[in-house]
Amino acid sequence: RLEGNSSEEAPPATQNFIIPKKEIHTVPDMGKWKRSQAYADYIGFILTLNEGVKGKKLTFEYRVSEAIEKLVALLNTLDRWIDETPPVDQPSRFGNKAYRTWYAKLDEEAENLVATVVPTHLAAAVPEVAVYLKESVGNSTRIDYGTGHEAAFAAFLCCLCKIGVLRVDDQIAITVFLLFATFPFPVMRKLQKTYRMEPAGSQGVWGLDDFQFLPFIWGSSQLIDHPYLEPRHFVDEKAVNENHKDYMFLECILFITEMKTGPFAEHSNQLWNISAVPSWSKVNQGLIRMYKAECLEKFPVIQHFKFGSLLPIHPVTSG
């Protein structure tokens, strides 16, 4: 469970922070990941946020701390850099090379950006935390983006919790409302659209979405026990148009229908099947299981994950 780390005092300044590195090199290494403290803390973070937004609209009033405001400013900077780095003319339609220019700027400035969020007494943590920010925006060689990059952004926020920058009372604002719903989500989408990024490891119509997964989990939690919106309604254009500003799940559906053409059942088969599930709590439970199976337990996704002192590869320690 994450709460202990995020609600109590920050870790002692004597902690040895390290630059995170890859530890999953072969398929048998996946066992190390599933038994690791990193896995336990990461999934604990995802589930804590899932619980925090249950039944709450995006317009729900929540506390915005100074740390959250600084994170928003950081993301605004990334957004501004996209505007300052327009796509270049090139023969291939996908993978615009201007993305590499944008990424090079982030690579150079990541530690400075993270230092604006982290208090000076925790400055030693900055190089470790900054790695997750750099990993979260896509791959500059392949110019692609997928659920592994999304996981790196969640890991970035998880690390900020573990060093005490974000706290339990930031929970609702942390990812779900202010960050995932309002900022990185649009920033990542803007990257994907501006530079025509390829989906990383896309399963085509058999995947949930080409790029994201977590907003569907948290979005379905928001809708649990909704008085009238049921899973069957998210394939109804009118219901989506009327409610997408309040619910992340419907916002995701709207984006898909804007990006893809043809019958929904054909371009988004998995989501179409989910619309037949009788309740949002069952959808939510099913998506958590699917996330573990299709993202966290898949070697092509997790081979890129990096481990340091905050998300360590060593086996779970009790207590």
Side-chain angles (χ1 to χ4, degrees):
R1 299 290 301 267
L2 187 76
E3 289 104 291
N5 289 317
S6 52
S7 63
E8 292 158 16
E9 70 283 357
T14 53
Q15 176 166 343
N16 291 322
F17 295 103
I18 56 175
I19 299 295
K21 63 182 196 296
K22 291 184 185 185
E23 299 277 4
I24 309 298
H25 303 291
T26 63
V27 173
D29 289 339
M30 290 295 286
K32 282 198 298 189
W33 155 242
K34 284 185 257 185
R35 291 188 298 273
S36 71
Q37 189 66 49
Y39 182 92
D41 287 349
Y42 179 85
I43 200 69
F45 180 71
I46 299 304
L47 296 177
T48 298
L49 291 175
N50 186 62
E51 197 58 36
V53 293
K54 193 176 280 184
K56 296 183 177 77
K57 290 182 175 184
L58 289 174
T59 46
F60 175 83
E61 293 213 349
Y62 46 87
R63 175 182 170 278
V64 178
S65 66
E66 189 183 349
I68 294 285
E69 286 175 349
K70 287 175 176 177
L71 269 170
V72 169
L74 182 158
L75 292 159
N76 275 330
T77 300
L78 300 187
D79 192 306
R80 190 182 76 246
W81 289 349
I82 301 173
D83 295 335
E84 292 169 1
T85 318
V88 294
D89 285 336
Q90 61 179 45
S92 65
R93 186 167 159 232
F94 289 98
N96 194 283
K97 290 179 176 58
Y99 171 77
R100 290 182 182 143
T101 308
W102 181 91
Y103 183 86
K105 192 166 179 65
L106 172 62
D107 193 36
E108 191 182 321
E109 294 291 331
E111 290 189 19
N112 293 334
L113 288 174
V114 173
T116 64
V117 179
V118 174
T120 48
H121 71 280
L122 289 168
V126 167
E128 179 167 342
V129 177
V131 167
Y132 293 103
L133 179 63
K134 289 192 284 186
E135 292 286 310
S136 73
V137 295
N139 182 283
S140 64
T141 306
R142 297 186 304 271
I143 314 184
D144 66 7
Y145 179 96
T147 49
H149 302 110
E150 179 188 57
F153 189 78
F156 167 66
L157 296 172
C158 183
C159 287
L160 290 175
C161 282
K162 295 196 78 172
I163 61 173
V165 172
L166 296 174
R167 298 173 179 276
V168 162
D169 49 2
D170 288 321
Q171 207 179 87
I172 291 170
I174 281 176
T175 1
V176 188
F177 290 124
L178 208 54
L179 296 178
F180 259 93
T182 321
F183 283 95
F185 203 26
V187 171
M188 300 311 170
R189 281 177 174 173
K190 191 169 171 180
L191 280 173
Q192 291 150 19
K193 286 166 92 168
T194 304
Y195 303 120
R196 300 304 298 266
M197 297 176 79
E198 297 274 15
S202 172
Q203 296 168 303
V205 296
W206 305 111
L208 199 59
D209 175 277
D210 283 341
F211 298 109
Q212 316 287 156
F213 201 116
L214 292 173
F216 289 97
I217 295 177
W218 296 325
S220 61
S221 182
Q222 282 185 281
L223 286 156
I224 288 173
D225 297 329
H226 193 281
Y228 59 86
L229 285 173
E230 297 171 17
R232 63 188 172 90
H233 288 119
F234 78 71
V235 291
D236 173 351
E237 193 179 338
K238 184 170 181 284
V240 170
N241 287 335
E242 288 174 359
N243 296 282
H244 70 93
K245 287 190 171 72
D246 283 329
Y247 296 103
M248 204 182 325
F249 196 102
L250 303 182
E251 175 61 36
C252 291
I253 299 295
L254 184 69
F255 183 69
I256 289 171
T257 56
E258 286 172 352
M259 295 294 282
K260 297 189 174 184
T261 54
F264 192 91
E266 288 178 19
H267 63 60
S268 300
N269 190 264
Q270 279 278 24
L271 282 166
W272 178 261
N273 292 338
I274 288 168
S275 71
V277 175
S279 71
W280 285 111
S281 59
K282 280 198 163 51
V283 169
N284 187 245
Q285 290 159 14
L287 286 174
I288 290 166
R289 281 195 304 273
M290 187 178 170
Y291 184 63
K292 289 176 180 175
E294 298 302 321
C295 299
L296 301 185
E297 293 173 14
K298 284 286 195 291
F299 175 73
V301 176
I302 296 304
Q303 65 174 327
H304 302 293
F305 199 89
K306 293 187 176 176
F307 300 85
S309 71
L310 295 168
L311 290 169
I313 189 67
H314 64 64
V316 169
T317 48
S318 54

XYZ file of all heavy atoms in Angstrom, residues 11-13 15-20 70 74 106-135 155-157 159-160 162-165 308-310:
395
model
N 11.069 10.888 3.027
C 12.148 9.987 3.445
C 13.375 10.790 3.880
O 13.547 11.929 3.464
C 12.447 9.164 2.190
C 11.896 9.953 1.064
C 10.751 10.738 1.616
N 14.209 10.210 4.714
C 15.381 10.966 5.189
C 16.292 11.351 4.029
O 16.386 10.653 3.026
C 16.090 9.969 6.123
C 15.556 8.616 5.730
C 14.174 8.843 5.228
N 16.950 12.477 4.205
C 17.837 12.977 3.145
C 19.003 12.020 2.888
O 19.706 12.147 1.898
C 18.360 14.352 3.519
N 18.748 8.966 2.163
C 18.412 7.914 1.197
C 19.322 8.022 -0.027
O 19.584 9.113 -0.526
C 16.946 8.027 0.751
C 16.614 6.997 -0.331
C 15.122 6.838 -0.554
O 14.323 7.238 0.251
N 14.762 6.249 -1.670
N 19.780 6.876 -0.489
C 20.625 6.878 -1.685
C 19.760 6.759 -2.938
O 19.272 5.686 -3.247
C 21.623 5.709 -1.627
C 22.664 5.932 -0.551
O 23.117 7.052 -0.353
N 23.016 4.872 0.156
N 19.543 7.860 -3.606
C 18.786 7.845 -4.857
C 19.706 7.360 -5.972
O 20.914 7.621 -5.944
C 18.246 9.241 -5.166
C 17.240 9.716 -4.163
C 17.585 10.648 -3.186
C 15.941 9.220 -4.169
C 16.661 11.076 -2.244
C 15.013 9.647 -3.234
C 15.365 10.574 -2.268
N 19.131 6.642 -6.925
C 19.950 6.127 -8.037
C 19.228 6.358 -9.365
O 18.009 6.496 -9.386
C 20.267 4.613 -7.864
C 18.974 3.790 -7.706
C 21.198 4.370 -6.688
C 19.199 2.283 -7.642
N 19.989 6.394 -10.424
C 19.383 6.548 -11.751
C 18.708 5.228 -12.117
O 19.357 4.183 -12.154
C 20.453 6.903 -12.821
C 21.144 8.234 -12.473
C 19.825 6.963 -14.216
C 20.261 9.458 -12.499
N 17.384 5.250 -12.361
C 16.690 3.997 -12.686
C 17.221 3.360 -13.971
O 17.617 4.069 -14.907
C 15.231 4.439 -12.869
C 15.137 5.740 -12.139
C 16.467 6.388 -12.300
N 2.478 23.318 -9.333
C 3.799 23.276 -9.970
C 3.850 22.204 -11.056
O 4.476 22.390 -12.101
C 4.879 23.019 -8.915
C 5.138 24.227 -8.013
C 6.128 23.881 -6.914
C 6.449 25.109 -6.076
N 7.351 24.768 -4.949
N 4.602 22.603 -15.076
C 5.553 21.752 -15.811
C 4.910 21.226 -17.098
O 5.496 21.274 -18.182
C 5.986 20.596 -14.902
C 7.014 19.581 -15.416
C 7.700 18.888 -14.228
C 6.396 18.505 -16.301
N 13.211 18.136 -24.080
C 12.803 17.539 -22.803
C 13.977 16.794 -22.173
O 14.222 16.901 -20.970
C 11.621 16.591 -22.990
C 11.246 15.771 -21.747
C 10.816 16.682 -20.594
C 10.138 14.773 -22.059
N 14.694 16.043 -22.993
C 15.828 15.260 -22.494
C 16.837 16.180 -21.792
O 17.377 15.851 -20.729
C 16.486 14.527 -23.672
C 17.457 13.448 -23.216
O 17.180 12.798 -22.195
O 18.500 13.279 -23.876
N 17.036 17.331 -22.388
C 18.003 18.298 -21.866
C 17.478 18.992 -20.600
O 18.230 19.262 -19.659
C 18.276 19.339 -22.962
C 19.430 20.268 -22.692
C 19.582 21.286 -23.825
O 19.406 20.911 -25.004
O 19.862 22.442 -23.507
N 16.163 19.256 -20.580
C 15.593 20.102 -19.520
C 14.864 19.328 -18.417
O 14.409 19.935 -17.450
C 14.591 21.098 -20.139
C 15.213 22.128 -21.062
C 16.075 23.134 -20.301
O 15.796 23.397 -19.118
O 17.042 23.635 -20.896
N 14.739 18.009 -18.554
C 13.886 17.238 -17.633
C 14.241 17.467 -16.163
O 13.358 17.685 -15.322
C 13.959 15.749 -17.967
N 15.530 17.433 -15.835
C 15.918 17.596 -14.427
C 15.584 18.998 -13.923
O 15.147 19.173 -12.785
C 17.398 17.269 -14.226
C 17.668 15.775 -14.380
C 19.083 15.368 -13.984
O 19.752 16.142 -13.252
O 19.502 14.279 -14.405
N 15.777 20.001 -14.771
C 15.419 21.371 -14.372
C 13.921 21.490 -14.130
O 13.479 22.156 -13.188
C 15.846 22.389 -15.451
C 17.358 22.494 -15.571
O 18.069 22.218 -14.612
N 17.846 22.874 -16.741
N 13.132 20.839 -14.999
C 11.675 20.879 -14.831
C 11.258 20.208 -13.527
O 10.446 20.747 -12.765
C 10.985 20.169 -16.013
C 10.992 20.881 -17.364
C 10.414 19.973 -18.439
C 10.199 22.180 -17.308
N 11.806 19.022 -13.266
C 11.438 18.289 -12.047
C 11.894 19.064 -10.805
O 11.205 19.069 -9.779
C 12.011 16.853 -12.076
C 11.792 16.141 -10.739
C 11.353 16.057 -13.209
N 13.012 19.753 -10.920
C 13.520 20.543 -9.784
C 12.554 21.666 -9.399
O 12.572 22.138 -8.256
C 14.897 21.112 -10.112
N 11.703 22.091 -10.328
C 10.722 23.136 -9.989
C 9.596 22.586 -9.117
O 8.872 23.342 -8.476
C 10.097 23.768 -11.259
O 9.344 22.757 -11.955
C 11.153 24.355 -12.182
N 9.443 21.269 -9.105
C 8.357 20.622 -8.351
C 8.858 20.083 -7.009
O 8.125 20.034 -6.028
C 7.745 19.467 -9.191
C 6.637 18.760 -8.432
C 7.228 19.985 -10.533
N 10.113 19.664 -6.971
C 10.684 18.993 -5.801
C 11.377 20.024 -4.897
O 12.203 20.798 -5.372
C 11.701 17.912 -6.254
C 12.422 17.295 -5.064
C 10.977 16.831 -7.058
N 11.063 20.053 -3.580
C 11.724 21.013 -2.689
C 13.236 20.793 -2.616
O 13.712 19.677 -2.848
C 11.078 20.755 -1.322
C 10.159 19.612 -1.471
C 10.091 19.206 -2.897
N 13.973 21.850 -2.290
C 15.439 21.778 -2.345
C 16.028 20.713 -1.421
O 17.035 20.111 -1.756
C 16.078 23.144 -2.015
O 15.452 23.647 -0.827
C 15.867 24.138 -3.132
N 15.374 20.433 -0.278
C 15.960 19.428 0.626
C 15.854 18.011 0.045
O 16.461 17.081 0.551
C 15.315 19.490 2.026
C 13.909 18.997 2.087
N 12.828 19.759 1.699
C 13.391 17.800 2.477
C 11.713 19.072 1.854
N 12.023 17.882 2.325
N 15.089 17.879 -1.052
C 14.983 16.574 -1.720
C 15.637 16.609 -3.101
O 15.375 15.753 -3.939
C 13.506 16.173 -1.867
C 12.797 15.783 -0.567
C 11.298 15.698 -0.793
C 13.322 14.455 -0.046
N 16.498 17.598 -3.313
C 17.115 17.780 -4.635
C 17.831 16.521 -5.125
O 17.896 16.257 -6.337
C 18.084 18.957 -4.599
N 18.336 15.713 -4.199
C 19.057 14.492 -4.596
C 18.157 13.506 -5.342
O 18.645 12.650 -6.093
C 19.655 13.810 -3.354
N 16.833 13.633 -5.148
C 15.892 12.719 -5.813
C 15.618 13.105 -7.267
O 15.110 12.293 -8.051
C 14.568 12.684 -5.043
N 15.951 14.337 -7.632
C 15.553 14.862 -8.952
C 16.034 14.004 -10.126
O 15.232 13.639 -11.002
C 15.985 16.341 -9.108
C 15.880 16.802 -10.567
C 15.106 17.229 -8.224
N 17.321 13.629 -10.204
C 17.756 12.832 -11.363
C 17.006 11.500 -11.484
O 16.708 11.060 -12.606
C 19.250 12.603 -11.095
C 19.648 13.722 -10.190
C 18.452 13.978 -9.323
N 16.687 10.874 -10.343
C 15.952 9.603 -10.386
C 14.523 9.813 -10.884
O 14.057 9.121 -11.795
C 15.930 8.956 -8.995
C 15.154 7.646 -8.981
C 15.356 6.814 -7.726
O 16.337 7.035 -6.971
O 14.524 5.918 -7.502
N 13.829 10.789 -10.341
C 12.426 11.036 -10.706
C 12.313 11.513 -12.156
O 11.392 11.134 -12.888
C 11.788 12.063 -9.733
C 10.358 12.393 -10.145
C 11.806 11.521 -8.298
N 13.292 12.315 -12.601
C 13.252 12.879 -13.961
C 13.284 11.798 -15.038
O 12.728 11.984 -16.132
C 14.410 13.854 -14.157
N 13.904 10.657 -14.751
C 13.961 9.563 -15.733
C 12.549 9.122 -16.111
O 12.247 8.881 -17.285
C 14.789 8.375 -15.175
C 14.585 7.115 -16.031
C 16.262 8.757 -15.127
N 11.661 9.047 -15.131
C 10.291 8.595 -15.415
C 9.528 9.614 -16.257
O 8.708 9.242 -17.095
C 9.545 8.283 -14.113
C 10.133 7.088 -13.395
C 10.948 7.246 -12.279
C 9.904 5.789 -13.851
C 11.516 6.153 -11.637
C 10.466 4.688 -13.217
C 11.274 4.880 -12.115
O 11.832 3.787 -11.487
N 9.823 10.902 -16.044
C 9.184 11.924 -16.880
C 9.629 11.757 -18.335
O 8.810 11.777 -19.259
C 9.541 13.323 -16.362
C 8.961 14.483 -17.174
C 7.434 14.493 -17.137
C 9.512 15.834 -16.678
N 10.931 11.543 -18.537
C 11.450 11.383 -19.906
C 10.885 10.125 -20.582
O 10.657 10.106 -21.785
C 12.976 11.325 -19.904
C 13.625 12.669 -19.596
C 15.103 12.665 -19.876
C 15.897 11.945 -18.819
N 17.357 12.077 -19.029
N 10.676 9.085 -19.767
C 10.155 7.820 -20.318
C 8.665 7.905 -20.649
O 8.134 7.029 -21.317
C 10.362 6.688 -19.296
C 11.815 6.322 -19.060
C 12.414 5.530 -20.215
O 11.801 4.542 -20.648
O 13.505 5.912 -20.683
N 4.229 6.142 -12.898
C 5.378 5.871 -12.029
C 6.033 7.189 -11.576
O 6.465 7.314 -10.427
C 6.399 5.001 -12.767
N 6.083 8.170 -12.462
C 6.612 9.503 -12.136
C 5.825 10.100 -10.963
O 6.396 10.581 -9.978
C 6.516 10.378 -13.399
C 6.717 11.858 -13.189
C 7.939 12.361 -12.776
C 5.678 12.745 -13.446
C 8.130 13.739 -12.614
C 5.855 14.118 -13.285
C 7.080 14.613 -12.860
N 4.490 10.024 -11.051
C 3.645 10.559 -9.983
C 3.777 9.730 -8.704
O 3.782 10.266 -7.597
C 2.182 10.595 -10.438
C 1.898 11.531 -11.618
C 0.475 11.342 -12.124
C 2.130 12.987 -11.228
N 6.424 8.149 -7.713
C 7.696 8.541 -7.084
C 7.543 9.862 -6.320
O 8.101 10.019 -5.223
C 8.796 8.683 -8.130
S 9.359 7.102 -8.785
N 6.797 10.805 -6.886
C 6.577 12.078 -6.195
C 5.805 11.853 -4.895
O 6.011 12.565 -3.907
C 5.833 13.068 -7.103
C 6.632 13.607 -8.297
C 5.752 14.472 -9.181
C 7.869 14.400 -7.831
N 6.088 9.014 -3.143
C 6.993 8.295 -2.241
C 8.003 9.219 -1.576
O 8.463 8.932 -0.469
C 7.706 7.162 -2.982
C 6.725 6.078 -3.438
C 7.398 4.795 -3.811
C 7.779 4.022 -2.581
N 8.275 2.673 -2.891
N 8.356 10.320 -2.217
C 9.283 11.260 -1.567
C 8.531 12.353 -0.805
O 9.136 13.250 -0.232
C 10.310 11.877 -2.555
C 9.618 12.681 -3.657
C 11.211 10.797 -3.135
C 10.585 13.445 -4.570
N 7.195 12.278 -0.810
C 6.398 13.193 0.005
C 6.041 14.507 -0.659
O 5.486 15.404 -0.025
N 6.340 14.661 -1.963
C 5.962 15.894 -2.671
C 4.450 15.936 -2.848
O 3.797 16.961 -2.637
C 6.681 15.991 -4.036
C 6.146 17.163 -4.854
C 8.181 16.138 -3.829
N 14.659 1.945 -9.785
C 15.657 2.684 -9.011
C 15.468 2.421 -7.528
O 15.063 1.334 -7.123
N 15.721 3.447 -6.688
C 15.553 3.278 -5.242
C 14.099 3.462 -4.825
O 13.654 2.916 -3.812
C 16.437 4.281 -4.500
O 15.925 5.603 -4.647
N 13.341 4.235 -5.600
C 11.948 4.520 -5.238
C 11.008 3.422 -5.728
O 10.007 3.103 -5.072
C 11.526 5.879 -5.805
C 12.278 7.075 -5.217
C 12.022 8.339 -6.021
C 11.904 7.284 -3.749
